[in-house]
Amino acid sequence: MKKYIEAWIRDWVQIFSRELRYIFSDGGVLVVFFLAGLVYPLLYGIIYHNGTVDDMPVAVIDASGSSSGREFIRKLDATRELAVTRSCPAMAEAEKLMQEREVHGIVLIPEDFDRCIAEGRQAHVSTYADMSSFLYYKNLSMGVNNVMLDSMREISRLPQPLLYEASMPYNSTFSYTVFFLSAVLLIVIQQTMFYGISMLTGTMREENRSLAVLPDMLNGKGISRIVLGRGAAYWLIYMAIGIYVAVIVPAVTGLPRNCSFGSVIILLLFYVSACVLFSFTFSALVRHRETVFVMFLFMSPVCLFLTGFAWPQSNFPPVWEAFSWIFPSTFAVRAFINMNTAGASLGMAGSNIVALSVQIAVYYILSVILSGIPRRQE
Amino acid sequence: MRRELRIMVQRPVYLMASVGVMAFCMLFFSTFFREGIPQDLPIGVVDLDNTSLSRNMVRQIDATQLGKTIEFVSYTEAREAMQTGRICAFCLIPSGMYADVLSGRQPEFTFYVNSLYMVGGALAYKDLLMMSNMISGGIQREVLRSMGLGDEAAMARIQPVAVDAHQIGNAATSYNVYLTNMLVPGILEMSVILMTVYALCSELKYGTSRHLLEKSGGMMTAAMTGKLAVYTVLFTAMGIVCDIFLYHWAGFPLKGSIWNMFLATFLMILACEAVGFFIAGTLPVLRIALSVAALFSTLALSLTGFTFPVEALPPAVRGLSVLFPLRHYYLIYVQETIFGSGFSGWYSQAICLLLFLLLPLPVYARLRAAYVNQNFPRK
């Protein structure tokens, strides 16, 4: 028994260090692990530095020419969302400006605006939003609605029976930075790891080294030490990259952190382990080192949407909900958003951690089985 | 050309990576966002008042198309549900609210929105804001009615200014139209660039480039034209299928002509091939060229500006967007589908896409030398 353990550890160390050597002698893999893994998160932080679209240019058509119309326009201009840059005499001209992308919204104040208000009838303001990006639409409707509510209180002078207050505790300005970075950071970990591991597996396959999956000396025995030995090499590298991505990058780019350092590390422990075994399992599909990009690069945006960061999880079609369980990122990103940004405790993210643990178990078994198969074929 | 076709048939990766990937993505995105606007978002309610007024409020939120209410007994419980992402918003109805309304003490009720999940958060925010005003207005209307005002006059007192919103180019505010329309061409761009790099560099990796040159009578031009023609035809066919899929089968709004979209797709494919050629020529080592191509084409989705507008990016990054064929395609797409402007609205972008075709020139000789000498590391 003691002998077995000694042999196991010796093999493990050997496999572990051999794998590290492979990683560090492979330029392509280094590009993916370190260039992509380290630069991408930072790059996204720079790209989405601003987070909100402020003072979006809009055109107004004031057909009423009245003081209340001018007041309404002045208030529009004062909102954070909108800037009234153009004033047009007619719709056609405003439409042309929108088509030329000079403005992204049009506000039309009708001829009878003033008269309606004076006579106690409801006045109507029309808005036209450029739908080429939903942020334009959101800005226009939020800006105009706020002015509308404001003038409502001013004109109607009715006592408000009920007051309300809206609170957006985790992302008070609907900042795109907070929204997007919280989700994409952990995706980078899973995707770069998968691509890198698949490239190495592909190379080993191509060179027909049986080590692709099994060192020769073991003769098909002791698969667990191979999976664990190889896994440990990636695990070590990725815990470092993971801490960089999930702790340092948020600090540099100003993403709020509302949970303890320890909780992020515990999440990473589970996530990185699940990712390694996930990558081992699915890299079995890759025969040649380069095909992984050609075949699977499109999965990056797909995985991103499967986390439910944009389209809400409650509205996933059931098939895709089930499909999303394949990826560790689904659960880890949710846990990260909830803990890191919304300040949930580790216990509250428990269900996600459990899901990651199940993935670890399933992918461990699968990768052990898949490592065994090619050997038998030879 | 015939040789290339044979390679394609022999190695399944070619067809899988082009046709398979595109088919999956079309299916995925169009079914994933099939509702267009999310319906029945889970919205929490903490009703500490529990009177006919508060129950009526809860019912009204539940009745909106967007929301579906889930009751919680305490603030803490609702907050935890929101922090774990189970609900995208909740409102807190204070105890004694009805009594306060009746006695004119202006009670305040609060709603909390989780804006980390942007689509759900923004929609729930809009929904709750509207409901708050409606409920407030409803009470005011009762008061005005008792003063003898008609419904219409009462409405004008309560809400003197109403907003009629129009959404140009996507009247239904559908996320499916918005995202699928650009994500599918985005994936197409990715596939074309990667495939071009793969096709060009794998000749080097497997040492078959001389054979290719022999076949084409030692003419690099003939070899390249023959090789790339196959992909141009394949991807153009797929691009046209994508366009037909989007604007015909899925019925996404298209103000202009579908033929112009075909043309835009075709130009984008050509530009992407040129980008692929440039990467392959600069770094004629398959593994590195592919890694670079992958890094480049992933960024395209962020820098195109259909999610976060380019003009709001930091100045240093803004200019980079012109380097991506997808950006120019997006500008053509906006003109054609939203405004139906026709050629005059987007010819400048078409010229930009054609300018990409100059990219192969500076690296042409280098790639040719690589093909002849096979002097780059294969690993």
Side-chain angles (χ1 to χ4, degrees):
Chain A
M1 186 63 195
K2 191 168 170 243
K3 214 172 153 195
Y4 176 78
I5 293 172
E6 267 170 22
W8 198 96
I9 292 174
R10 200 177 49 241
D11 291 344
W12 183 89
V13 169
Q14 203 181 352
I15 294 161
F16 169 74
S17 51
R18 180 146 45 159
E19 195 70 25
L20 275 181
R21 249 197 322 277
Y22 283 135
I23 297 170
F24 282 98
S25 57
D26 189 315
V29 174
L30 289 178
V31 166
V32 173
F33 278 2
F34 293 102
L35 193 71
L38 298 184
V39 174
Y40 257 61
L42 218 49
L43 211 55
Y44 281 121
I46 296 169
I47 292 176
Y48 295 115
H49 179 70
N50 293 336
T52 52
V53 182
D54 293 338
D55 288 329
M56 179 186 91
V58 291
V60 293
I61 306 157
D62 184 5
S64 78
S66 61
S67 61
S68 42
R70 280 193 296 277
E71 176 69 12
F72 196 89
I73 293 168
R74 200 187 51 70
K75 280 184 187 161
L76 277 183
D77 198 32
T79 56
R80 185 174 61 82
E81 288 90 0
L82 305 175
V84 178
T85 53
R86 294 299 190 100
S87 175
C88 302
M91 195 61 194
E93 200 176 315
E95 270 174 4
K96 191 156 169 287
L97 286 172
M98 183 140 101
Q99 194 192 326
E100 286 162 359
R101 299 179 77 77
E102 291 275 325
V103 298
H104 296 295
I106 301 170
V107 179
L108 173 70
I109 295 176
E111 215 178 321
D112 61 355
F113 185 74
D114 200 35
R115 214 166 47 238
C116 279
I117 291 176
E119 291 171 4
R121 283 184 291 129
Q122 198 172 39
H124 288 258
V125 170
S126 294
T127 61
Y128 301 84
D130 177 356
M131 297 300 280
S132 61
S133 169
F134 270 26
L135 283 184
Y136 297 146
Y137 163 65
K138 193 190 104 254
N139 265 23
L140 186 69
S141 55
M142 274 197 172
V144 174
N145 270 318
N146 284 336
V147 174
M148 188 268 284
L149 292 175
D150 188 50
S151 59
M152 181 169 106
R153 276 173 217 123
E154 217 164 82
I155 299 168
S156 81
R157 296 227 177 80
L158 285 174
Q160 291 291 312
L162 186 62
L163 304 177
Y164 62 84
E165 190 181 298
S167 158
M168 286 170 274
Y170 318 127
N171 182 7
S172 54
T173 56
F174 275 105
S175 159
Y176 201 86
T177 320
V178 175
F179 152 77
F180 188 78
L181 273 187
S182 302
V184 86
L185 288 178
L186 294 205
I187 293 280
V188 173
I189 296 182
Q190 174 187 290
Q191 293 307 106
T192 55
M193 191 196 300
F194 172 66
Y195 298 138
I197 289 182
S198 299
M199 281 168 84
L200 273 174
T201 315
T203 313
M204 292 174 181
R205 285 259 167 90
E206 277 174 16
E207 291 171 3
N208 227 349
R209 261 184 278 147
S210 53
L211 179 106
V213 260
L214 267 192
D216 305 311
M217 48 175 192
L218 288 175
N219 287 322
K221 272 181 282 171
I223 296 167
S224 70
R225 68 194 79 164
I226 295 154
V227 171
L228 291 177
R230 289 184 64 209
Y234 298 101
W235 195 86
L236 197 68
I237 293 174
Y238 261 89
M239 276 312 284
I241 295 180
I243 290 171
Y244 166 83
V245 169
V247 180
I248 298 175
V249 171
V252 172
T253 53
L255 189 72
R257 198 183 66 181
N258 298 316
C259 67
S260 66
F261 180 72
S263 326
V264 177
I265 299 298
I266 291 174
L267 173 64
L268 280 177
L269 289 178
F270 282 92
Y271 181 47
V272 171
S273 316
C275 282
V276 171
L277 295 166
F278 162 85
S279 305
F280 278 169
T281 304
F282 284 95
S283 63
L285 294 173
V286 178
R287 295 275 182 73
H288 298 270
R289 75 166 277 144
E290 289 83 6
T291 49
V292 61
F293 281 125
V294 189
M295 298 283 294
F296 293 114
L297 188 65
F298 76 98
M299 283 312 291
S300 300
V302 170
C303 282
L304 189 60
F305 279 106
L306 285 176
T307 62
F309 86 121
W311 185 260
Q313 191 206 343
S314 56
N315 295 67
F316 280 16
V319 182
W320 298 125
E321 169 80 33
F323 184 66
S324 75
W325 297 339
I326 296 177
F327 305 100
S329 59
T330 306
F331 304 104
V333 168
R334 287 175 195 161
F336 185 71
I337 294 177
N338 296 337
M339 281 169 29
N340 186 66
T341 330
S345 65
L346 195 62
M348 283 156 69
S351 60
N352 289 316
I353 302 281
V354 170
L356 286 173
S357 314
V358 172
Q359 284 181 329
I360 293 175
V362 171
Y363 287 130
Y364 176 71
I365 294 167
L366 281 177
S367 52
V368 165
I369 294 172
L370 286 168
S371 301
I373 289 173
R375 184 75 194 173
R376 263 173 254 137
Q377 280 170 349
E378 271 163 34
Chain B
M1 243 177 106
R2 202 171 298 147
R3 176 175 175 278
E4 193 64 29
L5 283 174
R6 203 184 60 235
I7 296 180
M8 276 174 88
V9 174
Q10 278 169 354
R11 297 208 41 202
V13 59
Y14 286 89
L15 283 177
M16 279 288 284
S18 46
V19 181
V21 165
M22 289 314 297
F24 176 85
C25 286
M26 278 193 269
L27 188 74
F28 175 77
F29 288 118
S30 61
T31 51
F32 192 68
F33 302 114
R34 122 200 102 165
E35 284 175 41
I37 296 184
Q39 315 276 311
D40 292 332
L41 289 170
I43 293 175
V45 182
V46 186
D47 184 358
L48 300 176
D49 190 35
N50 206 14
T51 55
S52 61
L53 176 69
S54 69
R55 280 193 298 271
N56 187 29
M57 279 170 73
V58 176
R59 247 196 325 275
Q60 288 199 44
I61 296 170
D62 199 35
T64 56
Q65 213 175 26
L66 270 172
K68 186 185 72 187
T69 50
I70 299 171
E71 303 237 9
F72 292 94
V73 290
S74 70
Y75 168 80
T76 318
E77 202 183 291
R79 193 206 67 213
E80 285 186 0
M82 184 155 100
Q83 277 177 309
T84 48
R86 269 180 53 221
I87 52 176
C88 45
F90 71 94
C91 46
L92 182 67
I93 303 176
S95 64
M97 181 183 74
Y98 191 35
D100 285 349
V101 166
L102 288 180
S103 56
R105 275 194 298 262
Q106 296 191 317
E108 185 172 287
F109 97 103
T110 319
F111 56 88
Y112 299 84
V113 176
N114 187 354
S115 40
L116 288 175
Y117 298 91
M118 212 163 204
V119 175
L123 289 170
Y125 174 70
K126 210 173 115 185
D127 203 40
L128 287 172
L129 197 65
M130 195 188 75
M131 285 309 304
S132 317
N133 281 297
M134 259 175 70
I135 290 158
S136 214
I139 300 168
Q140 286 173 334
R141 196 170 56 204
E142 289 306 311
V143 176
L144 291 173
R145 240 190 223 150
S146 66
M147 285 159 60
L149 245 64
D151 270 2
E152 206 177 312
M155 207 50 221
R157 275 295 301 277
I158 296 161
Q159 194 187 358
V161 181
V163 177
D164 296 332
H166 307 265
Q167 291 90 34
I168 309 290
N170 184 355
T173 352
S174 156
Y175 280 86
N176 199 0
V177 171
Y178 169 45
L179 292 173
T180 308
N181 256 338
M182 278 313 292
L183 286 169
V184 169
I187 305 284
L188 182 66
E189 182 204 55
M190 231 177 224
S191 304
V192 178
I193 296 181
L194 288 170
M195 211 57 192
T196 311
V197 171
Y198 186 75
L200 291 176
C201 288
S202 55
E203 298 280 352
L204 291 168
K205 174 173 173 176
Y206 298 108
T208 50
S209 57
R210 279 183 202 157
H211 177 247
L212 170 69
L213 284 177
E214 252 166 54
K215 277 268 176 184
S216 43
M219 300 269 290
M220 182 69 172
T221 331
M224 289 295 105
T225 331
K227 200 167 174 64
L228 291 179
V230 176
Y231 294 100
T232 313
V233 170
L234 175 70
F235 280 112
T236 307
M238 273 185 345
I240 287 174
V241 171
C242 286
D243 287 337
I244 293 175
F245 174 81
L246 295 172
Y247 302 110
H248 198 74
W249 292 328
F252 292 167
L254 169 69
K255 199 167 177 207
S257 128
I258 198 165
W259 293 98
N260 286 343
M261 291 312 296
F262 290 162
L263 180 63
T265 311
F266 175 66
L267 289 176
M268 182 184 79
I269 290 167
L270 285 186
C272 290
E273 284 182 3
V275 169
F277 195 105
F278 183 77
I279 295 173
T282 318
L283 298 157
V285 184
L286 179 55
R287 55 176 48 183
I288 298 186
L290 266 182
S291 301
V292 171
L295 298 181
F296 176 84
S297 47
T298 318
L299 270 189
L301 287 174
S302 291
L303 287 174
T304 294
F306 73 101
T307 49
F308 193 74
V310 165
E311 63 269 17
L313 297 177
V317 189
R318 209 177 298 158
L320 293 180
S321 69
V322 298
L323 298 178
F324 298 89
L326 191 63
R327 167 74 181 159
H328 303 286
Y329 172 84
Y330 167 68
L331 292 173
I332 298 179
Y333 149 82
V334 168
Q335 290 300 330
E336 196 59 35
T337 59
I338 298 184
F339 300 109
S341 69
F343 188 68
S344 65
W346 47 259
Y347 72 93
S348 55
Q349 299 305 325
I351 293 173
C352 289
L353 283 176
L354 287 173
L355 284 178
F356 277 94
L357 298 183
L358 298 176
L359 274 180
L361 296 180
V363 296
Y364 190 79
R366 185 175 157 86
L367 188 66
R368 189 191 154 150
Y371 263 54
V372 174
N373 304 326
Q374 299 187 347
N375 56 350
F376 281 91
R378 287 187 197 174
K379 280 191 206 154

